[in-house]
Amino acid sequence: MKTLVIGNRERYEKYMPADLPFVKETEIVFCKWGTSDEEILAAAGDASFIAVDAMASVSGNLIRNMPNLKVIHSEGVGYQGVDVEEATKQGVYVCNCKGVNAGAVAEQAVLLMLALLRNVVVGDRVERKGGQIQMKERMMLEGIREVSDCKIGLIGFGDIAKATAERLYPFGCEMYYYSLHKKDEEIEKQYHVSYLSLEELASTCDIISIHAPANDNTKGMINEHFISLMKPDAFLVNTARGDLVDNEALRNALISGRIAGAGLDTITPEPTTKDNPLVALPAECADRVIYSPHIGGITTSTFRRAHHMLWQAFSDYSEGKKPANVVNRI
């Protein structure tokens, strides 16, 4: 059997699990992200499996023209670049690495919350310039909130939000969540969370952390109306997808001081450019935003788990088993 990898060859080779015999038995063809369908078909049109970078695409045209294709597996949790509808028509399983980066992204969300509350970026810069005492005096006057002083709202309550709640609980903060469907009372007790409507969550919480999936219903959900309901001293944290946030609405809120600030691991579109409206902020409000370059889920352990998961899925299919984490209905 042949396996096509669409993504960074060095990364796939680094994390390839040596303990799975299938890896040694399959012929592997590597194609860079962005390779045309025509080039891919010429190189690996007879492949049975595709492993694809979570941000890359597998078009319907490619799927239709690969007669041996059985499984497409995202390297991550996201699979929005895969034409799932066409894969389903062709009887091809589409799989993802469900939950593989939950703990890693949760750590990033908590990191951004703490960094915002402690004004870490400005403090670091001022300390380097010899202004330690002045910064300390300033922060004592302005006040520093502890996490335990905060009501924290989680938008979405999947694997990552649950992992975030688990990590926040020892801080002693109040936690709330919003999702399309209220969870069972047992789940709420397990994660120490209470349900609020989206508008109630916006107006109640001191830190709002986004963990919803990206789809047509959630795109731009953090809009002018939502932000208008937030407390003036509240922070917004996004470790989900950039397109869940209306860039202009958040920019305007930061410039006007409508909210206290934001911690952003993701910004749309990617790659982020210096003229993005959430990056090219006026000097007077720029320090109220903390950025990280979409690294929440890319820890070494995440990649080890993810690559074992996807190669295991291919191995399982080759042995007549249904692969795990199928996202379409075959």
Side-chain angles (χ1 to χ4, degrees):
M1 288 186 174
K2 183 180 290 185
T3 300
L4 165 66
V5 172
I6 303 175
N8 183 287
R9 178 170 184 161
E10 290 182 352
R11 188 169 70 241
Y12 272 86
E13 289 181 336
K14 177 179 179 178
Y15 294 107
M16 201 169 287
D19 60 330
L20 287 179
F22 175 85
V23 174
K24 298 177 181 178
E25 296 166 0
T26 186
E27 177 187 352
I28 304 173
V29 177
F30 294 91
C31 288
K32 294 179 180 179
W33 181 4
T35 302
S36 70
D37 286 359
E38 291 73 20
E39 291 174 294
I40 291 175
L41 290 170
D46 58 342
S48 299
F49 307 108
I50 297 178
V52 59
D53 185 297
M55 302 298 289
S57 299
V58 180
S59 70
N61 173 64
L62 191 62
I63 295 168
R64 283 191 298 273
N65 286 282
M66 295 183 67
N68 298 332
L69 186 59
K70 306 300 182 186
V71 182
I72 301 169
H73 206 300
S74 170
E75 186 187 12
V77 178
Y79 52 92
Q80 58 269 26
V82 179
D83 190 330
V84 177
E85 183 178 352
E86 186 60 37
T88 304
K89 287 181 182 177
Q90 301 298 326
V92 176
Y93 289 115
V94 178
C95 306
N96 74 338
C97 294
K98 182 182 185 302
V100 73
N101 63 356
V105 179
E107 287 184 9
Q108 190 74 15
V110 175
L111 167 69
L112 291 172
M113 293 176 196
L114 291 167
L116 288 166
L117 290 170
R118 300 280 175 153
N119 208 359
V120 166
V121 172
V122 176
D124 176 86
R125 184 173 70 242
V126 173
E127 178 91 4
R128 292 173 187 272
K129 293 180 179 179
Q132 178 256 324
I133 290 297
Q134 295 91 330
M135 187 67 187
K136 181 177 180 180
E137 292 289 343
R138 170 187 158 185
M139 292 183 74
M140 284 192 290
L141 287 172
E142 291 178 353
I144 301 172
R145 281 179 286 175
E146 298 179 16
V147 179
S148 60
D149 298 326
C150 297
K151 295 180 175 67
I152 298 181
L154 308 172
I155 297 180
F157 205 65
D159 293 324
I160 295 173
K162 290 173 181 174
T164 304
E166 287 179 327
R167 284 155 178 77
L168 285 171
Y169 177 65
F171 285 94
C173 51
E174 291 183 35
M175 293 187 290
Y176 302 89
Y177 77 98
Y178 164 77
S179 64
L180 285 177
H181 304 287
K182 187 177 184 297
K183 304 303 179 183
D184 294 338
E185 186 176 342
E186 290 182 5
I187 294 293
E188 293 183 345
K189 287 183 177 179
Q190 179 182 349
Y191 292 98
H192 310 280
V193 295
S194 300
Y195 177 84
L196 291 176
S197 70
L198 190 60
E199 292 193 345
E200 288 175 321
L201 184 141
S203 62
T204 299
C205 295
D206 303 294
I207 300 174
I208 294 170
S209 189
I210 309 171
H211 302 286
N215 55 47
D216 291 340
N217 294 324
T218 59
K219 183 177 181 180
M221 68 184 299
I222 308 302
N223 53 24
E224 183 177 357
H225 174 66
F226 181 94
I227 294 171
S228 73
L229 300 174
M230 291 175 63
K231 296 179 178 181
D233 61 351
F235 294 110
L236 180 72
V237 171
N238 189 10
T239 55
R241 286 287 184 263
D243 54 8
L244 301 180
V245 175
D246 181 324
N247 284 1
E248 290 299 332
L250 180 55
R251 174 185 171 86
N252 292 337
L254 292 165
I255 292 173
S256 68
R258 180 63 194 78
I259 62 172
L264 305 174
D265 188 47
T266 56
I267 299 175
T268 194
E270 287 195 53
T272 308
T273 56
K274 63 182 181 180
D275 60 348
N276 187 289
L278 290 179
V279 175
L281 292 167
E284 60 268 22
C285 72
D287 284 342
R288 300 212 312 276
V289 184
I290 295 176
Y291 308 94
S292 54
H294 203 167
I295 60 169
I298 61 169
T299 63
T300 300
S301 291
T302 288
F303 278 118
R304 284 176 179 157
R305 289 189 295 267
H307 283 248
H308 193 280
M309 195 177 291
L310 71 88
W311 288 108
Q312 183 66 61
F314 298 156
S315 177
D316 285 346
Y317 185 90
S318 71
E319 295 175 0
K321 305 172 188 175
K322 182 178 178 178
N325 300 320
V326 175
V327 301
N328 60 339
R329 296 181 179 180
I330 301 296

